[in-house]
C-alpha cells in the first residue's frame, strides 16, 4: 500500500477533502482520488471518510492509503479484435471504453490484460505496459499497434518518437471548419485542472504539437463536420485540445466541449482510422485502415436528422387550408400564414397598430381591427402602400413561422407544416434552414373560381385581382417538391393526405440511407 499523511493547515481549512489530496498528490487524477475516498481508503482523525466533498478543518490528520498495482499483470479474457499479427507485433482495433493499460484508477480490465491472455509472450516484457508503444484515450476507438518482444518495442517506440509513423483519425466535430487546415499551438498540462490538457506556451511547459485536417463531410445545416485528422506529434489529448481551441470541439467530449456539444454523442467522436509504419524487422511499409464503429455515423446522422419542415402552398381556392387541416387531423403540428396575419390584424394586434400609425383610422373597424376590404382596395390604388404593408406583414409572418418550427424541433417533433400561400412570391425559398419540403396543392382555375365564390363569396373580379398578385399556378407547381391534386371532394383529399404522409416517410428513410451510404463511402474511398 502507498500512503500519504498530512495535517490540515489554517489555509486549507474549509476546502474539499479531494481537493486537498489532489494538491498533495499531483500524480493522481482527481477522479482516481475520489474513487479511492469512496472505496474507504481515506481516514480523517482515524475515522474512515468516504465523502470526497467533505470539508476539512484545521489540525485534522488525513491519512490516505492506496493499494499498489500488482507488479505481476494477470491475463484477462475479453473481446479482442486482432487485424494483423506476426511473431513481432500485433495490430488491433481497440473498442471505445477500454483503457489501454493498468493505472491507479483502472487496475484491471484493460487492453493489455486481454492481450496477455491471447499473447502470453508479452509477459516477458517488464512493466505495466508490456508491448505498448503508443496509446489511445479510453473513449477513443481504433487502430493500435503492440510489440510482442522488447527489441521490437524499442524499435517501434523510436519510430514513434522520430515521427516516422503515419497516424490519421476520423473526428466528428461541432461547426464547419475550413475545408483543410492545421493547428501548431503547443500543448501542455492545464494549469488548474489536472486531468486536462490545454494550449500552453512552450516557455511555460507546453510542447510543440502539430495537427492537420481535411473536411470529408458536413451536415446540411453546417452544425457538424466529419474530419480526417492527421497528427504529426503525439501529445496527450492533442486532437481534442486543438479542435476545441479552434472552436470546433469533438461531439461527446466531456472534458473539452460545451455541455450542448457533450450531449450530442455518447462519447468523444474520435476514431484511429489509419496507421502506417515500417516493420521493425522486415523493413516493409505496412498500412492499415479500419472503419469506425457504428456510434460515429449514428451520431452524425442523428444530429443531422433535423425536424422535417413542410410548406403547403398553392393559388387561391386550391384547397391549401383543407389539406393542412387533414394533416392536423393525422397528428401533424400545423400553422397557417393566414391565421398569423389574422392575429396581426386583430384588435390591438401588431399589424393593426402599425397600420393605424401609418394610415390613421380609415382602414380600421370600430373595434380596432383592420378592415381587410378597405386595406385591399387601398393597396390596389397605392403601390407604395402595398409594398410597405407586404414587407412588414411578411417579415412578421416569417418570424412567427420560424419560431413555430424552432420550438417544435427543440421538443423533438419529427414533422411540422406551415401553410404559406405566398411562399415563392415572398422569395422565402432560401431564408429557412434547413430548407423546407414544399408541397403544392393543384386545382384547375375554373374549379378554384367556383369554390371561392361558394365558400368565401368572392366575386370574379376579386379572384382575378388576388390571382394576379401570385405566380401563375403552372409556375408555382413547377417550383414545388411534391404536388397534390385536389379536383375531387374532401374525402378524396383526406385519402391523398394519408398517401402523402406514407410517401414522405419512405422519402425520409431513403434520404437517411443515402446519408449513411455517403458516410460509409468516405472512409472507403479516402
Amino acid at each position: 500500500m502507498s500512503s500519504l499523511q498530512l495535517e490540515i493547515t489554517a489555509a486549507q481549512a474549509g476546502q474539499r477533502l479531494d481537493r486537498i489530496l489532489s494538491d498533495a498528490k499531483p500524480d493522481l487524477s482527481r477522479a482516481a482520488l475520489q474513487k479511492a475516498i469512496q472505496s474507504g481508503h481515506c481516514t480523517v482523525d482515524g475515522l474512515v471518510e468516504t465523502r470526497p466533498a467533505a470539508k476539512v478543518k484545521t489540525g485534522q490528520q488525513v491519512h490516505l492509503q492506496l493499494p499498489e498495482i500488482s507488479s505481476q499483470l494477470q491475463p484477462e479474457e475479453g473481446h479482442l479484435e486482432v487485424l494483423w499479427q506476426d511473431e513481432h507485433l500485433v495490430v488491433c482495433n481497440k473498442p471505445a471504453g477500454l483503457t489501454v493499460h493498468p493505472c491507479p484508477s483502472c487496475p484491471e480490465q484493460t487492453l493489455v490484460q486481454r492481450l496477455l491472455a491471447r499473447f502470453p509472450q508479452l509477459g516477458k516484457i517488464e512493466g505495466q505496459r508490456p508491448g505498448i508503444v503508443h496509446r489511445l484515450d479510453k473513449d477513443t476507438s481504433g487502430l493500435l499497434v503492440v510489440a510482442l518482444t522488447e527489441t521490437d518495442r524499442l524499435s517501434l517506440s523510436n519510430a514513434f518518437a522520430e515521427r516516422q509513423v503515419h497516424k490519421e483519425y476520423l473526428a466528428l466535430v461541432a461547426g464547419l471548419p475550413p475545408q483543410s487546415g492545421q493547428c501548431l499551438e503547443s500543448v501542455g498540462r492545464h494549469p488548474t485542472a489536472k486531468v486536462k490538457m490545454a494550449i500552453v506556451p512552450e516557455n511555460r511547459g507546453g510542447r510543440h504539437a502539430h495537427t492537420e485536417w481535411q473536411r470529408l463531410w458536413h451536415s446540411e445545416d453546417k452544425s457538424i463536420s466529419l474530419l480526417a485528422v492527421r497528427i504529426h506529434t503525439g501529445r496527450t489529448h492533442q486532437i481534442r485540445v486543438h479542435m476545441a481551441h479552434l472552436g470546433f470541439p469533438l461531439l461527446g467530449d466531456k472534458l473539452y466541449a460545451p455541455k450542448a456539444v457533450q450531449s450530442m454523442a455518447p462519447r468523444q467522436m474520435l476514431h484511429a482510422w489509419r496507421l502506417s509504419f515500417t516493420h521493425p524487422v522486415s523493413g516493409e511499409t505496412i498500412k492499415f485502415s479500419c472503419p469506425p464503429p457504428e456510434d460515429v455515423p449514428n451520431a452524425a446522422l442523428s444530429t443531422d436528422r433535423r425536424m422535417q419542415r413542410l410548406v403547403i402552398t398553392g393559388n387561391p381556392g386550391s384547397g391549401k387550408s383543407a389539406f393542412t387541416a387533414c394533416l392536423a387531423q393525422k397528428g401533424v403540428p400545423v400553422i397557417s400564414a393566414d391565421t398569423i396575419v389574422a392575429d396581426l390584424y386583430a384588435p390591438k394586434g401588431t399589424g393593426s397598430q402599425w397600420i393605424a400609425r401609418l394610415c390613421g383610422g380609415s382602414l380600421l373597424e370600430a373595434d380596432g381591427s383592420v378592415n381587410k376590404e378597405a386595406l385591399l382596395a387601398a393597396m390596389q390604388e397605392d403601390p407604395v402602400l402595398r409594398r410597405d404593408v407586404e414587407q412588414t406583414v411578411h417579415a412578421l409572418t416569417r418570424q412567427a413561422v420560424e419560431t413555430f418550427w424552432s420550438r417544435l424541433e427543440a421538443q423533438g417533433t419529427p414533422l411540422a407544416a406551415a401553410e404559406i400561400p405566398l411562399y415563392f412570391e415572398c422569395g422565402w425559398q432560401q431564408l429557412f434552414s434547413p430548407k423546407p419540403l414544399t408541397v403544392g396543392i393543384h386545382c384547375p382555375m375554373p374549379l378554384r373560381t367556383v369554390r371561392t365564390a361558394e365558400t368565401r363569396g368572392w366575386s370574379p373580379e376579386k379572384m382575378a385581382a388576388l390571382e394576379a398578385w401570385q405566380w401563375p399556378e403552372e409556375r408555382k407547381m413547377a417550383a414545388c417538391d411534391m404536388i397534390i391534386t385536389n379536383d375531387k371532394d374532401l374525402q378524396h383529399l383526406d385519402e391523398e393526405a394519408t398517401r402523402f404522409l406514407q410517401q414522405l416517410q419512405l422519402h425520409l428513410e431513403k434520404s437517411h440511407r443515402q446519408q449513411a451510404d455517403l458516410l460509409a463511402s468516405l472512409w472507403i474511398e479516402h
Side-chain angles (χ1 to χ4, degrees):
M1 301 281 284
S2 62
S3 63
L4 170 69
Q5 278 190 285
L6 57 96
E7 181 176 332
I8 302 302
T9 66
Q12 295 172 322
Q15 297 186 41
R16 289 171 54 113
L17 176 60
D18 58 351
R19 170 78 179 275
I20 296 299
L21 292 174
S22 179
D23 291 340
K25 201 166 181 60
D27 57 317
L28 281 182
S29 69
R30 187 88 163 263
L33 287 167
Q34 290 173 343
K35 185 176 181 180
I37 295 170
Q38 293 168 341
S39 298
H41 296 301
C42 182
T43 63
V44 177
D45 287 342
L47 300 176
V48 174
E49 176 57 78
T50 59
R51 297 171 299 155
K55 301 297 175 59
V56 296
K57 300 177 182 178
T58 303
Q60 284 184 325
Q61 300 293 320
V62 177
H63 185 205
L64 176 69
Q65 285 190 312
L66 292 174
E68 297 284 358
I69 299 176
S70 172
S71 59
Q72 184 64 43
L73 289 174
Q74 297 299 316
E76 295 177 358
E77 295 296 332
H79 174 71
L80 186 64
E81 184 179 352
V82 174
L83 305 180
W84 189 87
Q85 69 181 83
D86 63 12
E87 65 268 31
H88 300 283
L89 55 89
V90 171
V91 176
C92 62
N93 179 20
K94 186 189 87 67
L98 182 65
T99 301
V100 171
H101 57 73
C103 59
S105 60
C106 185
E108 300 174 336
Q109 296 298 321
T110 68
L111 178 67
V112 161
Q113 286 147 319
R114 294 184 186 183
L115 285 165
L116 273 171
R118 180 82 68 90
F119 304 98
Q121 61 267 46
L122 279 172
K124 298 177 182 179
I125 303 177
E126 296 182 354
Q128 297 295 304
R129 308 175 185 179
I132 299 301
V133 294
H134 69 121
R135 289 179 291 172
L136 298 176
D137 295 337
K138 177 181 178 181
D139 286 333
T140 297
S141 58
L143 293 166
L144 192 78
V145 59
V146 180
L148 293 179
T149 71
E150 178 63 12
T151 301
D152 296 319
R153 186 191 70 80
L154 292 173
S155 178
L156 285 170
S157 294
N158 183 66
F160 274 92
E162 296 297 324
R163 302 176 188 173
Q164 298 170 354
V165 178
H166 180 101
K167 294 179 289 184
E168 195 169 322
Y169 294 73
L170 291 172
L172 200 58
V173 303
L176 185 71
Q179 185 65 45
S180 61
Q182 64 177 348
C183 185
L184 296 167
E185 298 289 346
S186 55
V187 173
R189 286 288 172 188
H190 193 284
T192 57
K194 292 182 174 59
V195 298
K196 297 178 67 174
M197 306 299 285
I199 301 299
V200 178
E202 292 189 37
N203 60 4
R204 295 186 181 180
R207 301 176 67 189
H208 168 67
H210 182 190
T211 302
E212 65 175 323
W213 74 84
Q214 179 185 4
R215 194 178 73 233
L216 302 180
W217 171 90
H218 64 80
S219 60
E220 183 179 350
D221 65 354
K222 302 178 182 179
S223 65
I224 57 173
S225 301
L226 180 70
L227 309 181
V229 184
R230 182 183 177 187
I231 56 173
H232 298 271
T233 52
R235 310 303 176 215
T236 302
H237 298 177
Q238 178 177 320
I239 295 174
R240 299 163 66 187
V241 171
H242 272 175
M243 297 315 299
H245 171 71
L246 295 172
F248 309 108
L250 271 65
L251 270 60
D253 194 331
K254 302 298 188 291
L255 275 182
Y256 301 105
K259 287 187 177 180
V261 179
Q262 292 178 24
S263 64
M264 295 169 74
R267 63 170 177 102
Q268 67 223 23
M269 289 288 98
L270 189 62
H271 174 74
W273 176 32
R274 288 174 168 172
L275 182 67
S276 64
F277 56 91
T278 300
H279 193 282
V281 177
S282 70
E284 176 187 3
T285 298
I286 50 179
K287 300 180 180 181
F288 300 92
S289 64
C290 180
E294 290 186 356
D295 60 357
V296 174
N298 286 346
L301 294 175
S302 64
T303 304
D304 190 37
R305 188 179 283 181
R306 300 286 301 275
M307 181 186 77
Q308 179 62 61
R309 302 177 176 197
L310 295 180
V311 166
I312 312 300
T313 192
N315 288 62
S318 61
K320 304 178 299 297
S321 298
F323 184 78
T324 303
C326 290
L327 294 182
Q329 291 172 1
K330 300 178 190 308
V332 178
V334 300
I335 193 172
S336 165
D338 288 343
T339 301
I340 295 170
V341 173
D343 291 339
L344 293 173
Y345 286 173
K348 298 183 180 181
T350 303
S352 59
Q353 294 182 42
W354 176 78
I355 289 174
R357 291 193 298 270
L358 185 68
C359 304
S362 61
L363 300 180
L364 301 182
E365 301 283 5
D367 62 359
S369 62
V370 173
N371 184 320
K372 296 179 183 178
E373 295 294 333
L375 177 61
L376 176 61
M379 291 169 63
Q380 289 174 319
E381 293 179 4
D382 187 348
V384 174
L385 174 64
R386 174 185 167 184
R387 182 200 63 199
D388 291 344
V389 170
E390 286 181 343
Q391 287 181 347
T392 301
V393 173
H394 290 173
L396 293 170
T397 301
R398 181 165 59 86
Q399 182 181 32
V401 171
E402 181 60 59
T403 300
F404 166 78
W405 273 333
S406 298
R407 174 175 55 82
L408 288 172
E409 185 170 50
Q411 295 172 359
T413 304
L415 173 68
E419 179 195 346
I420 309 176
L422 301 178
Y423 179 72
F424 295 110
E425 291 83 351
C426 292
W428 290 359
Q429 300 95 309
Q430 306 302 324
L431 298 183
F432 292 113
S433 180
K435 188 176 181 180
L437 185 73
T438 51
V439 182
I441 310 303
H442 163 65
C443 181
M445 178 65 173
L447 182 54
R448 290 194 286 114
T449 301
V450 171
R451 285 178 174 174
T452 54
E454 291 178 349
T455 60
R456 306 182 193 180
W458 287 7
S459 66
E461 293 76 19
K462 181 175 181 178
M463 177 66 175
L466 292 176
E467 185 78 10
W469 286 4
Q470 300 194 22
W471 284 9
E473 185 179 35
E474 183 178 356
R475 179 187 177 191
K476 184 178 288 191
M477 293 300 103
C480 291
D481 297 305
M482 301 179 72
I483 298 175
I484 303 295
T485 298
N486 177 32
D487 57 359
K488 296 183 175 62
D489 57 18
L490 187 58
Q491 180 179 347
H492 179 264
L493 184 62
D494 186 72
E495 293 170 354
E496 286 292 301
T498 299
R499 281 191 288 270
F500 164 76
L501 291 176
Q502 293 170 345
Q503 292 174 356
L504 180 61
Q505 181 62 33
L506 294 175
H507 167 79
L508 295 177
E509 291 174 356
K510 180 180 178 181
S511 176
H512 185 73
R513 287 195 302 271
Q514 289 173 339
Q515 285 291 319
D517 292 343
L518 172 62
L519 284 172
S521 70
L522 294 175
W523 39 78
I524 295 174
E525 295 175 1
H526 290 78

